[in-house]
Amino acid sequence: MTGRPILVEFPEYIETERLRLRAPRPGDGAAVNAAVLESFDVLHRWMPWAKQRPSVEESEATVRSFHAEFIAREDLPLLIFARDGGELVGGTGLHRIEWNVPRFEIGYWIRRSCEGRGYATEAVHTLTEFALGRLGAARVEIRCSHRNERSQRVAERCGFTLEMSKRLR
């Protein structure tokens, strides 16, 4: 990897058997908004960014911020689309990046109407292989609450090892 993250090459999209992962683009706000609102009752329990229901305008602003962060390689957010029709399935990405290691954290969520089809596992597995192979990651992490059993199962299916941490109060 180059010493300048902005020069790291990243494909326009990454495809799996059923999915296409790509960076958010201006104009994706309405689709993201619909998916977040559909899934808000679950998302707000686990995702720090899901504190309140966003407007379409707020979702568009978020998408544009994500687009800028992706270009600068400060964060690598990705949207998950179905290959057969292009429906927005959810979101994923490589976050909390430490390019000097390199280390990445994978986050993920799937919209309510698409849950239970293995999309999260498919996306996470592919993104893990991409980070380890193409980006030369020394470490890839998934962080989730010990109460979020569905997220834990995705990590387990993708071969991640459980590490427990305890917060001091």
Side-chain angles (χ1 to χ4, degrees):
M1 193 209 73
T2 177
R4 299 176 64 194
I6 199 163
L7 296 176
V8 171
E9 292 294 327
F10 203 98
E12 183 177 342
Y13 55 84
I14 301 169
E15 285 189 335
T16 71
E17 182 180 328
R18 301 178 298 159
L19 304 172
R20 177 176 279 184
L21 314 178
R22 72 156 170 81
R25 300 177 185 150
D28 285 334
V32 169
N33 184 264
V36 168
L37 292 179
E38 174 187 314
S39 311
F40 189 78
D41 61 324
V42 174
L43 291 175
H44 86 274
R45 292 178 59 206
W46 309 118
M47 299 298 187
W49 52 264
K51 298 297 182 210
Q52 60 187 19
R53 294 176 191 273
S55 67
V56 173
E57 183 177 271
E58 289 167 332
S59 294
E60 181 63 27
T62 297
V63 161
R64 289 174 185 230
S65 293
F66 286 167
H67 180 73
E69 291 171 354
F70 184 90
I71 290 170
R73 304 299 190 249
E74 295 166 355
D75 193 49
L76 298 171
L78 299 166
L79 298 178
I80 305 170
F81 293 92
R83 281 183 63 183
D84 66 350
E87 175 188 22
L88 178 64
V89 171
T92 188
L94 298 170
H95 312 293
R96 299 180 192 210
I97 299 168
E98 292 180 36
W99 286 109
N100 59 326
V101 174
R103 183 193 78 64
F104 306 91
E105 179 182 326
I106 296 179
Y108 47 92
W109 64 275
I110 301 297
R111 76 186 301 159
R112 194 70 182 234
S113 61
C114 295
E115 289 178 350
R117 299 182 199 172
Y119 290 146
T121 300
E122 189 172 330
V124 169
H125 177 74
T126 299
L127 199 51
T128 301
E129 287 186 348
F130 181 83
L132 293 169
R134 289 275 298 270
L135 299 178
R139 183 172 176 87
V140 178
E141 302 174 347
I142 293 173
R143 295 178 187 215
C144 65
S145 169
H146 67 280
R147 293 184 305 271
N148 190 341
E149 294 176 9
R150 294 187 81 181
S151 188
Q152 287 178 35
R153 286 194 301 271
V154 169
E156 289 168 1
R157 284 192 295 270
C158 291
F160 283 78
T161 302
L162 176 65
E163 293 179 6
M164 299 293 288
S165 66
K166 184 177 180 181
R167 289 189 175 182
L168 300 176
R169 294 180 186 218

